[in-house]
mmCIF file of all heavy atoms in Angstrom:
data_model
loop_
_atom_site.group_PDB
_atom_site.id
_atom_site.type_symbol
_atom_site.label_atom_id
_atom_site.label_comp_id
_atom_site.label_asym_id
_atom_site.label_seq_id
_atom_site.Cartn_x
_atom_site.Cartn_y
_atom_site.Cartn_z
ATOM 1 N N MET A 1 -16.932 21.973 95.235
ATOM 2 C CA MET A 1 -17.861 21.715 94.104
ATOM 3 C C MET A 1 -17.137 20.655 93.320
ATOM 4 O O MET A 1 -15.919 20.554 93.114
ATOM 5 C CB MET A 1 -18.234 22.826 93.373
ATOM 6 C CG MET A 1 -17.152 23.385 92.339
ATOM 7 S SD MET A 1 -17.609 24.888 91.553
ATOM 8 C CE MET A 1 -16.051 25.597 91.448
ATOM 9 N N GLN A 2 -17.867 19.613 92.777
ATOM 10 C CA GLN A 2 -17.351 18.499 91.956
ATOM 11 C C GLN A 2 -17.651 18.849 90.606
ATOM 12 O O GLN A 2 -18.665 19.232 90.072
ATOM 13 C CB GLN A 2 -17.896 17.273 92.337
ATOM 14 C CG GLN A 2 -17.264 16.081 91.659
ATOM 15 C CD GLN A 2 -17.668 14.747 92.245
ATOM 16 O OE1 GLN A 2 -18.866 14.412 92.068
ATOM 17 N NE2 GLN A 2 -16.808 14.137 93.027
ATOM 18 N N LEU A 3 -16.627 18.830 89.716
ATOM 19 C CA LEU A 3 -16.620 18.996 88.269
ATOM 20 C C LEU A 3 -16.053 17.834 87.462
ATOM 21 O O LEU A 3 -15.249 17.083 88.021
ATOM 22 C CB LEU A 3 -15.788 20.205 87.925
ATOM 23 C CG LEU A 3 -16.043 21.562 88.533
ATOM 24 C CD1 LEU A 3 -15.051 22.563 88.098
ATOM 25 C CD2 LEU A 3 -17.430 22.010 88.220
ATOM 26 N N THR A 4 -16.425 17.684 86.268
ATOM 27 C CA THR A 4 -15.725 16.740 85.333
ATOM 28 C C THR A 4 -14.854 17.676 84.482
ATOM 29 O O THR A 4 -15.397 18.631 83.803
ATOM 30 C CB THR A 4 -16.744 15.931 84.454
ATOM 31 O OG1 THR A 4 -17.598 15.257 85.302
ATOM 32 C CG2 THR A 4 -16.027 15.144 83.536
ATOM 33 N N VAL A 5 -13.657 17.436 84.561
ATOM 34 C CA VAL A 5 -12.587 18.171 83.693
ATOM 35 C C VAL A 5 -12.149 17.331 82.582
ATOM 36 O O VAL A 5 -11.697 16.190 82.758
ATOM 37 C CB VAL A 5 -11.450 18.611 84.569
ATOM 38 C CG1 VAL A 5 -10.385 19.363 83.805
ATOM 39 C CG2 VAL A 5 -11.858 19.567 85.745
ATOM 40 N N GLN A 20 -13.123 13.271 87.378
ATOM 41 C CA GLN A 20 -14.000 13.981 88.346
ATOM 42 C C GLN A 20 -13.022 14.709 89.344
ATOM 43 O O GLN A 20 -12.076 14.122 89.828
ATOM 44 C CB GLN A 20 -14.772 12.949 89.081
ATOM 45 C CG GLN A 20 -15.916 12.424 88.180
ATOM 46 C CD GLN A 20 -17.050 13.375 88.017
ATOM 47 O OE1 GLN A 20 -17.277 13.841 86.883
ATOM 48 N NE2 GLN A 20 -17.710 13.769 89.050
ATOM 49 N N MET A 21 -13.272 15.962 89.620
ATOM 50 C CA MET A 21 -12.259 16.722 90.544
ATOM 51 C C MET A 21 -13.136 17.571 91.479
ATOM 52 O O MET A 21 -14.231 17.955 91.106
ATOM 53 C CB MET A 21 -11.366 17.552 89.773
ATOM 54 C CG MET A 21 -10.484 16.779 88.789
ATOM 55 S SD MET A 21 -9.317 17.755 87.872
ATOM 56 C CE MET A 21 -7.997 17.899 89.154
ATOM 57 N N ASP A 22 -12.610 17.827 92.629
ATOM 58 C CA ASP A 22 -13.191 18.719 93.608
ATOM 59 C C ASP A 22 -12.497 20.012 93.691
ATOM 60 O O ASP A 22 -11.290 20.001 93.816
ATOM 61 C CB ASP A 22 -13.242 18.077 94.946
ATOM 62 C CG ASP A 22 -14.283 16.910 95.027
ATOM 63 O OD1 ASP A 22 -15.344 17.170 94.605
ATOM 64 O OD2 ASP A 22 -13.871 15.840 95.539
ATOM 65 N N GLU A 25 -15.829 26.094 96.316
ATOM 66 C CA GLU A 25 -16.919 27.018 95.712
ATOM 67 C C GLU A 25 -16.286 28.243 95.287
ATOM 68 O O GLU A 25 -15.411 28.766 96.046
ATOM 69 C CB GLU A 25 -17.954 27.213 96.762
ATOM 70 C CG GLU A 25 -18.822 26.002 97.028
ATOM 71 C CD GLU A 25 -19.663 25.587 95.856
ATOM 72 O OE1 GLU A 25 -20.176 26.368 95.021
ATOM 73 O OE2 GLU A 25 -19.837 24.358 95.732
ATOM 74 N N ILE A 48 -17.783 25.320 79.221
ATOM 75 C CA ILE A 48 -18.520 24.671 80.349
ATOM 76 C C ILE A 48 -19.847 24.059 79.750
ATOM 77 O O ILE A 48 -20.631 24.865 79.089
ATOM 78 C CB ILE A 48 -18.904 25.659 81.471
ATOM 79 C CG1 ILE A 48 -17.520 26.098 82.078
ATOM 80 C CG2 ILE A 48 -19.748 25.061 82.453
ATOM 81 C CD1 ILE A 48 -17.739 27.222 83.131
ATOM 82 N N ASN A 49 -20.099 22.848 79.931
ATOM 83 C CA ASN A 49 -21.365 22.096 79.406
ATOM 84 C C ASN A 49 -21.455 22.444 78.006
ATOM 85 O O ASN A 49 -22.591 22.767 77.590
ATOM 86 C CB ASN A 49 -22.523 22.500 80.290
ATOM 87 C CG ASN A 49 -22.339 22.135 81.702
ATOM 88 O OD1 ASN A 49 -21.667 21.195 82.056
ATOM 89 N ND2 ASN A 49 -22.971 22.991 82.516
ATOM 90 N N PRO A 59 -17.608 27.812 87.336
ATOM 91 C CA PRO A 59 -18.487 26.676 87.094
ATOM 92 C C PRO A 59 -19.422 26.348 88.309
ATOM 93 O O PRO A 59 -19.086 26.681 89.414
ATOM 94 C CB PRO A 59 -17.554 25.526 86.827
ATOM 95 C CG PRO A 59 -16.194 26.144 86.666
ATOM 96 C CD PRO A 59 -16.152 27.413 87.411
ATOM 97 N N ALA A 60 -20.411 25.610 88.036
ATOM 98 C CA ALA A 60 -21.341 25.222 89.038
ATOM 99 C C ALA A 60 -21.152 23.704 89.405
ATOM 100 O O ALA A 60 -20.565 22.993 88.629
ATOM 101 C CB ALA A 60 -22.835 25.462 88.691
ATOM 102 N N GLU A 61 -21.677 23.271 90.435
ATOM 103 C CA GLU A 61 -21.612 21.867 90.906
ATOM 104 C C GLU A 61 -21.987 20.935 89.712
ATOM 105 O O GLU A 61 -23.004 21.189 89.055
ATOM 106 C CB GLU A 61 -22.555 21.624 92.122
ATOM 107 C CG GLU A 61 -22.464 20.152 92.596
ATOM 108 C CD GLU A 61 -21.275 19.797 93.371
ATOM 109 O OE1 GLU A 61 -20.534 20.774 93.949
ATOM 110 O OE2 GLU A 61 -21.082 18.652 93.572
ATOM 111 N N ASN A 62 -21.267 19.868 89.452
ATOM 112 C CA ASN A 62 -21.482 18.941 88.417
ATOM 113 C C ASN A 62 -21.408 19.395 86.994
ATOM 114 O O ASN A 62 -21.733 18.683 86.054
ATOM 115 C CB ASN A 62 -22.898 18.234 88.623
ATOM 116 C CG ASN A 62 -22.900 17.551 90.017
ATOM 117 O OD1 ASN A 62 -22.012 16.846 90.408
ATOM 118 N ND2 ASN A 62 -23.998 17.644 90.714
ATOM 119 N N ASP A 63 -20.840 20.656 86.818
ATOM 120 C CA ASP A 63 -20.574 20.991 85.403
ATOM 121 C C ASP A 63 -19.444 20.223 84.826
ATOM 122 O O ASP A 63 -18.718 19.654 85.510
ATOM 123 C CB ASP A 63 -20.099 22.613 85.341
ATOM 124 C CG ASP A 63 -21.349 23.474 85.377
ATOM 125 O OD1 ASP A 63 -22.476 23.027 85.258
ATOM 126 O OD2 ASP A 63 -21.140 24.653 85.608
ATOM 127 N N GLN A 64 -19.347 20.373 83.532
ATOM 128 C CA GLN A 64 -18.345 19.697 82.733
ATOM 129 C C GLN A 64 -17.443 20.809 82.146
ATOM 130 O O GLN A 64 -17.954 21.684 81.440
ATOM 131 C CB GLN A 64 -18.747 18.869 81.550
ATOM 132 C CG GLN A 64 -19.362 17.509 82.052
ATOM 133 C CD GLN A 64 -19.706 16.644 80.854
ATOM 134 O OE1 GLN A 64 -19.353 16.892 79.750
ATOM 135 N NE2 GLN A 64 -20.167 15.431 81.211
ATOM 136 N N LEU A 65 -16.161 20.822 82.450
ATOM 137 C CA LEU A 65 -15.207 21.952 81.840
ATOM 138 C C LEU A 65 -14.306 21.228 80.887
ATOM 139 O O LEU A 65 -13.510 20.301 81.231
ATOM 140 C CB LEU A 65 -14.330 22.445 83.130
ATOM 141 C CG LEU A 65 -13.293 23.366 82.633
ATOM 142 C CD1 LEU A 65 -13.786 24.673 82.010
ATOM 143 C CD2 LEU A 65 -12.394 23.861 83.884
#
Side-chain angles (χ1 to χ4, degrees):
M1 76 184 147
Q2 190 169 70
L3 303 174
T4 300
V5 178
Q20 290 284 112
M21 303 183 79
D22 288 312
E25 290 292 326
I48 295 175
N49 301 329
E61 180 77 20
N62 297 318
D63 277 353
Q64 289 187 359
L65 173 63

